[in-house]
Structure formats: structure tokens, C-alpha cells
Amino acid sequence: SMQHPVMRRRVLEDWNADTQISDKFQDEKDMLRALFDDPKVRFTLKVSSPFLSKWDFFGALQNSAPVEDAYNDAESSCLQSHLVERNFSFSIIDVYTKLGSKPFVAIGLTVLEEFDLLSKLELDRTRVCNFLEKVEEGYQAANPYHNSVHAADVTQRFATLIGLARINEWAIGDLELLAGLIAALLHDYHHPGTTNALQVRASSPAAILHNDIHVLENYSAMSGLLLLKGAGNKTNFLSTLSQADRQAVRETVIDMILATDMSEHFNVMATFTSKVMPKLIAKPRHSRKQKKSRKRAMRVSEEVRSSLGTLTEEKNGELGENNSPRACHETVEMEPEQFRNVDLTTEEQKLILKMALKCADIGHVTLETGAHQVWVQSLQEEFYRQGDMEREWDMPISYLADRQKFRSGPAFGENQLGFLDVICMPMYTAWVECFPSCADLLTNLIHNRRIWEVDAMKSGKNIFDLQEKDTGSLSSLSFNMDGRSSLGRQKCALQKLDKYSTFAIL
């Protein structure tokens, strides 16, 4: 499958996996070390460093300086009010540098304590902190986007989604919640800053190990869960759980991380809208607060659909300071009593967790415009670095990865619109229709889309032709209130929009 002989030599030199791997490696740790730490093959798992730019922003935030106690920073009481604030406009960038030498550890521990999981499940606090410290070290600070800042941001947003919808009070138990938080922490663990497609084209050790299937997601899950293996392992804080509980947590973590591969997006969406949405939406009785919250969610949902059409003029008073939408201050949390009689299967519980993680993973689109654009610019730099490597290796340059091409990259409106319309808008609309207390997710998303739509006009392309070409028929991607959707139509739309598979590294 190797189309580039030069690259093959650089990747697989002195690595005879076919004939010697069973004899050479005595256990899986030695195997992983040889596969992924060998400098002769490591380049496929690490972005080259010469391509630096001003968007090395998040790498500068990460501090790998050793500390005696990994959790000292998390003991500070001031962290609670900053990190567990249930606000979808909360930006991790604003506080990350204020959290001491191990901010990722502080965030992870704070979120776990927010749900009182250490006490409820009798988890060893020291081992939890050791685990978090090792995970933080496993995120590559050289990556402009896929680094520990991103992982902390996703974990905080995942906790906010669960907390605001009060999902932990009626839909899932403590074990499922713990598995969800572990998945959020590990979902891009050891991410190299390149796409699955490049790993497969390069026949990298990771691609060979995982048979070209969900390469980076499988690698993150495998290497992260190794930290939770063995009773004597100082990072294994699950050792106090029963074997059955440990296995259940492991299965949920793997399922959730694999679901973050964008190639699975339409499958997850179709299953969620056909199996979960009907149960959550078609409830006969609502309190006054619930009716108010659902009415507001429907209003925002209609605003989403209208924003997918033509470029609309901003209404008076709609924007606040700095051209960002005013926050909605009348958020009404759903009362868990509404859902207590909902009979969810184990698969449906996992679907809710998968959707929550997917919404958290690309949740920077729901931030205020300034923070959102920092993330997009960082992602663009990561794309460009891969394109630079592909050019050096005389390989075809991936879509959105050519820094020498005019307006090529995620940080241009004509490229963002397709992603927002096809992936983001339907997904967040479906989530809000199920959980109206999360309606604020859509406020900034709608505004950011309008900003990108204006930017797209700078490309000189006809915005309406662009929308028709990139998104096709939006009806094929719509998700109705009854939760029914056509998987076949979605797959057809995915084929038409194959170029957006580049976003699979998100």
C-alpha cells in the first residue's frame, strides 16, 4: 500500500515487523516502545519542529516542569469557581496559565471532584493525580492544536454539558460518568498532529498496529488505558474497582474515543436521532420552567435553520460589545424529574455520552469569536505543518493543508462554512432539542457562522453557489423533532462532502 518508496525507507528502515516482531518483543510495553519511540519511525507520530509560527500559542501554555506533588495546584479552592463554571462561553485560554505548573492535572482533578467521584467510587487521590500527570506529559506540547490545552478544554466542556443537562442525575451512573471523563481526558492522547489519512498513506507503525482503522483514536485509547492496567501501577486508580466495573469503564472509554473519529460522525448522529431523541423529546408533561426552556430552545433552533440560508442583516441590539452576541442570562435547567421514567438501554446511555464528547471535542465553535478564531488558527497551523511535511516527502498535499495556496486552510470562511453547516449546526441543534438547558451552545455558533460567511465573500466566490456546492441539500442533513433521519441520505451527503473528512483529526 506504500506509494512513496522514499517515505517507506524512512519509516520502516531496520524495522522488520513481519518476521521479527514476535521474537523481539517480550511484552506489549516493549513492543510499543519499539514501535513508537524509535527515532527512525517516530517522525510519523510527531510534527516536524522547523515549521514554527505565531500560532505556537498553546504549546507555550504547556509547562512540563516537574513538581513534587502533581496535585498541589488543584488543592487551591479558587480553582473551583473558575473551572466548573457552567457557561458555554467559558474559555480555557483565559485561566490556563493561572493554574500553576500542572494546569491539566488541576483541571482534571477539579472536574472529578465536581461530581464527587473520588468519594463515591473510593478512588485513590494520589493515583488519580499520577494518572493525570502522565496523561498531560503524553500530550505533545509541539502540536499547535492537539495538545493538553485542547484536552483540558474538551474535558471542561464535557463536564458542563453533562452538568447543565443533569444527565448524571437520571441517565447514567457514577461509573459511566467516570468513563466519560476519562475518555475526554484521553481522547487525543499522544496525538501526533497529523491525520489518520497520512498515517495510513505512510504505513506508519500506528496504522499497521491498528489495521488502518481509526488509527489515532485507537492509539490514544490503547496507550491511555495502559496507564490503568496492573494493580501495582501507580497511575492505575481503577484498581480498587471490581473486575466487572473496570471492564465496563474500559469498554465505554474505547467506544467513546473511537466515536470522535469524524468518519463515524453520521453513524453516531443517525443512531442518536433515531433511538435517543424520540425518547427524550416526546414527553407528555412539562413544568412551567421546562416549557419555557423548551420554547427558548426551539426558538434558537429555528434561528439556526434560518442562518443556514442567506446572509442576514444583524438586528438592532442583537450584538453586544466587541461584535459578539449578548449572553442569554435566563438559562433554565431541565428538571431531572422529566426524564426519570425514560427507559434507556446501555447502548442509548453510551450514545448520549458519545454525543456529549463529540459536542465538547469541536466545542470551540460555540465560544465567543475571539477565542474560537484562536483555536481555528492553531488548527490551521497544524494542518499547514502536515502539508509542509507532505511537500518535503513529495506526497500529495492534503486538503486545507497547503500554506502556499491562496486561502487554503480552515481559517477561511469558504472552508469553515461547509464544516459548520454539515457537521456542527445539525449536531448542536439535535443536542439542544434533547436538552434545552444547553441552548446557549447555539448563541455563539450562529454568530460565528455569520462572521465566517462575511469572510467567505472575500474569496470572490458567489456565496450562494458555494453553499450549494459544499453543503448540497441541507434537508438531507436535517434532524426532525421526532428524531427520525435517513442514514442512507446522510451517507450520500457524506460522500458528496468527502473533502471535509480532513476534519477527522479534530
Side-chain angles (χ1 to χ4, degrees):
S1 62
M2 194 63 182
Q3 301 298 322
H4 302 276
V6 174
M7 196 170 187
R8 181 192 256 302
R9 289 198 300 271
R10 294 179 65 177
V11 176
L12 301 178
E13 183 181 3
D14 297 334
W15 184 63
N16 191 351
D18 295 332
T19 59
Q20 300 180 11
I21 192 168
S22 60
D23 298 331
K24 185 177 180 180
F25 306 114
Q26 300 302 315
D27 56 40
E28 57 191 359
K29 290 186 177 179
D30 287 341
M31 181 186 72
L32 291 174
R33 186 178 303 111
L35 288 179
F36 299 109
D37 289 343
D38 188 338
K40 295 176 182 177
V41 299
R42 196 175 190 179
F43 78 98
T44 56
L45 295 173
K46 191 175 181 65
V47 174
S48 300
S49 58
F51 309 110
L52 302 178
S53 77
K54 63 179 180 179
W55 294 112
D56 292 319
F57 178 80
F58 296 110
L61 291 183
Q62 299 178 101
N63 188 344
S64 59
V67 291
E68 295 182 1
D69 295 318
Y71 52 86
N72 281 344
D73 296 320
E75 297 292 342
S76 175
S77 59
C78 68
L79 293 180
Q80 298 291 334
S81 61
H82 284 88
L83 299 178
V84 298
E85 180 182 355
R86 292 176 180 176
N87 182 348
F88 291 117
S89 293
F90 174 81
S91 175
I92 202 73
I93 303 171
D94 299 332
V95 299
Y96 204 79
T97 56
K98 303 175 183 178
L99 302 184
S101 59
K102 290 292 178 181
F104 182 85
V105 177
I107 291 172
L109 187 60
T110 301
V111 169
L112 288 169
E113 289 186 332
E114 158 73 1
F115 294 103
D116 199 26
L117 292 179
L118 273 66
S119 175
K120 291 179 179 179
L121 298 176
E122 298 181 351
L123 304 177
D124 186 281
R125 184 184 183 84
T126 300
R127 289 193 175 192
V128 169
C129 295
N130 291 338
F131 168 79
L132 292 171
E133 186 175 19
K134 287 300 260 184
V135 172
E136 182 175 16
E137 292 173 357
Y139 278 94
Q140 296 187 22
N143 289 347
Y145 183 88
H146 289 99
N147 47 51
S148 67
V149 189
H150 167 68
D153 179 60
V154 171
T155 302
Q156 189 276 339
R157 190 176 296 108
F158 175 83
T160 302
L161 286 163
I162 297 297
L164 265 185
R166 303 171 76 171
I167 292 172
N168 59 305
E169 298 182 27
W170 60 272
I172 60 174
D174 293 330
L175 275 178
E176 291 79 13
L177 177 57
L178 175 64
L181 292 172
I182 293 174
L185 291 163
L186 292 176
H187 79 284
D188 281 327
Y189 184 60
H190 279 313
H191 196 291
T194 59
T195 63
N196 281 333
L198 179 62
Q199 297 292 318
V200 172
R201 280 190 291 159
S203 294
S204 73
I208 293 172
L209 182 67
H210 300 298
N211 298 316
D212 297 345
I213 300 173
H214 306 310
V215 175
L216 297 179
E217 291 77 17
N218 267 312
Y219 179 51
S220 295
M222 177 198 66
S223 54
L225 288 172
L226 283 176
L227 299 174
L228 298 173
K229 183 178 179 181
N233 190 340
K234 293 182 179 180
T235 62
N236 183 13
F237 63 87
L238 300 182
S239 59
T240 56
L241 302 179
S242 67
Q243 174 62 31
D245 287 345
R246 291 199 301 271
Q247 185 62 29
V249 169
R250 174 182 170 82
E251 291 177 0
T252 302
V253 169
I254 293 173
D255 287 347
M256 290 181 63
I257 293 178
L258 296 187
T260 61
D261 188 342
M262 201 59 71
S263 67
E264 289 293 309
H265 174 78
F266 287 102
N267 289 332
V268 174
M269 278 291 295
T271 311
F272 179 82
T273 54
S274 63
K275 293 187 176 181
V276 177
M277 284 185 71
K279 291 186 176 182
L280 300 187
I281 293 177
K283 299 306 294 179
R285 299 182 61 185
H286 303 289
S287 69
R288 180 176 298 179
K289 285 185 177 181
Q290 291 165 358
K291 288 180 180 179
K292 182 179 181 181
S293 183
R294 185 164 295 283
K295 183 177 180 181
R296 177 168 171 264
M298 289 300 298
R299 173 177 58 79
V300 176
S301 179
E302 288 300 320
E303 191 173 353
V304 169
R305 293 188 176 94
S306 66
S307 72
L308 293 177
T310 60
L311 179 63
T312 58
E313 296 181 358
E314 305 293 347
K315 297 180 181 179
N316 292 333
E318 188 175 54
L319 300 183
E321 295 180 358
N322 300 322
N323 289 327
S324 61
R326 291 196 180 102
C328 299
H329 298 292
E330 54 173 345
T331 299
V332 179
E333 292 190 4
M334 294 299 291
E335 298 177 12
E337 288 79 5
Q338 175 190 353
F339 298 112
R340 282 181 178 169
N341 295 325
V342 175
D343 184 20
L344 295 174
T345 65
T346 301
E347 179 189 3
E348 290 164 350
Q349 291 175 340
K350 286 185 179 180
L351 277 170
I352 293 176
L353 289 172
K354 289 178 183 179
M355 278 290 288
L357 183 55
K358 286 174 62 63
C359 289
D361 193 16
I362 58 174
H364 64 82
V365 299
T366 67
L367 295 175
E368 293 181 355
T369 301
H372 165 55
Q373 289 186 344
V374 169
W375 284 107
V376 175
Q377 291 283 359
S378 298
L379 177 62
Q380 178 168 275
E381 175 59 25
E382 195 164 291
F383 273 45
Y384 282 168
R385 292 185 184 188
Q386 173 171 318
D388 292 337
M389 287 190 293
E390 290 168 332
R391 179 178 290 105
E392 178 186 356
W393 301 332
D394 196 26
M395 296 177 65
I397 298 177
S398 300
Y399 178 65
L400 301 182
D402 190 348
R403 71 168 76 237
Q404 296 181 6
K405 186 177 179 181
F406 178 68
R407 293 183 69 86
S408 171
F412 295 98
E414 58 270 27
N415 300 326
Q416 271 291 316
L417 285 178
F419 179 64
L420 293 177
D421 291 349
V422 175
I423 302 295
C424 300
M425 290 290 193
M427 181 175 69
Y428 287 111
T429 301
W431 181 267
V432 168
E433 287 177 352
C434 288
F435 308 108
S437 57
C438 298
D440 283 346
L441 275 172
L442 296 173
T443 305
N444 287 325
L445 176 57
I446 294 170
H447 176 74
N448 288 332
R449 188 196 178 281
R450 291 170 178 165
I451 296 297
W452 290 117
E453 198 167 32
V454 172
D455 182 73
M457 292 182 174
K458 299 177 183 178
S459 67
K461 300 178 182 179
N462 186 303
I463 186 66
F464 305 111
D465 291 342
L466 180 68
Q467 288 175 331
E468 182 178 356
K469 177 182 177 181
D470 285 353
T471 65
S473 174
L474 290 174
S475 62
S476 67
L477 296 168
S478 64
F479 299 90
N480 299 323
M481 285 295 292
D482 63 3
R484 297 180 177 86
S485 59
S486 170
L487 178 59
R489 290 163 69 189
Q490 292 173 38
K491 287 184 176 179
C492 179
L494 179 60
Q495 292 173 357
K496 292 180 181 179
L497 296 159
D498 182 61
K499 65 182 181 179
Y500 291 107
S501 63
T502 302
F503 286 94
I505 74 165
L506 285 170

